[in-house]
């Protein structure tokens, strides 16, 4: 595993992240997302001929996030997560549905998910 040190430089950190990543595996794909809703990125790794592997990032996050579960009347539910950096709230979000209608949740805190319904 490598850590991005910026400006095109990477540093190997495999020894710093635990023994699970030291086990050789033939992997075909990966996905990153906040699996456990704690504000940091976790990793799911698919392996060839074996089970998918989940690597939870338990290092903590100093950044904040807000999630929206969008429930459109005429469309499939979707989820959107927005990183807020160090901000702890947002004043307003404008959600434009495929139909052209808008939903505008206001004054939302951070590290939570909101359910938003609209005509999609």
């Amino acid at each position: 595993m490598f850590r991005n040190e910026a400006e095109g430089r990477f540093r190997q950190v495999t020894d710093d992240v635990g023994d699970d990543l030291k086990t050789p595996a033939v992997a075909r794909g990966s996905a990153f997302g906040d699996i456990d809703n704690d504000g940091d990125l976790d990793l799911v790794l698919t392996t060839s001929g074996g089970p998918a592997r989940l690597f939870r990032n338990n290092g903590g996050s100093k950044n904040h996030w807000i999630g929206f579960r969008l429930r459109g009347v005429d469309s499939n539910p979707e989820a959107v997560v927005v990183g807020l950096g160090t901000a702890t709230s947002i004043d307003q979000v404008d959600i434009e549905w495929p139909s052209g209608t808008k939903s505008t949740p206001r004054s939302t805190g951070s590290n939570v998910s909101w359910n938003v319904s609209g005509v999609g």
Side-chain angles (χ1 to χ4, degrees):
M1 173 165 282
F2 294 89
R3 173 170 290 159
N4 186 345
E5 297 287 326
E7 298 181 14
R9 291 177 290 137
F10 293 85
R11 179 171 56 92
Q12 188 174 29
V13 294
T14 307
D15 290 338
D16 300 336
V17 296
D19 291 336
D20 287 335
L21 287 176
K22 293 179 185 176
T23 304
V26 177
R28 297 289 188 239
S30 62
F32 297 85
D34 189 1
I35 302 293
D36 50 5
N37 290 326
D38 64 355
D40 55 27
L41 287 178
D42 304 303
L43 165 66
V44 175
L45 187 68
T46 62
T47 59
S48 180
R53 297 169 65 185
L54 170 63
F55 298 95
R56 286 185 43 211
N57 179 354
N58 292 327
S61 176
K62 296 176 184 166
N63 292 323
H64 301 281
W65 59 274
I66 186 165
F68 297 95
R69 284 195 248 359
L70 306 179
R71 309 240 187 261
V73 174
D74 298 325
S75 58
N76 292 329
E78 299 290 340
V80 177
V81 177
V82 178
L84 301 180
T86 58
T88 57
S89 66
I90 59 172
D91 296 326
Q92 177 177 318
V93 170
D94 294 321
I95 299 167
E96 186 170 339
W97 298 91
S99 66
T101 61
K102 291 185 179 180
S103 299
T104 308
R106 298 178 187 272
S107 300
T108 57
S110 62
N111 306 334
V112 295
S113 289
W114 291 80
N115 292 322
V116 181
S117 298
V119 178

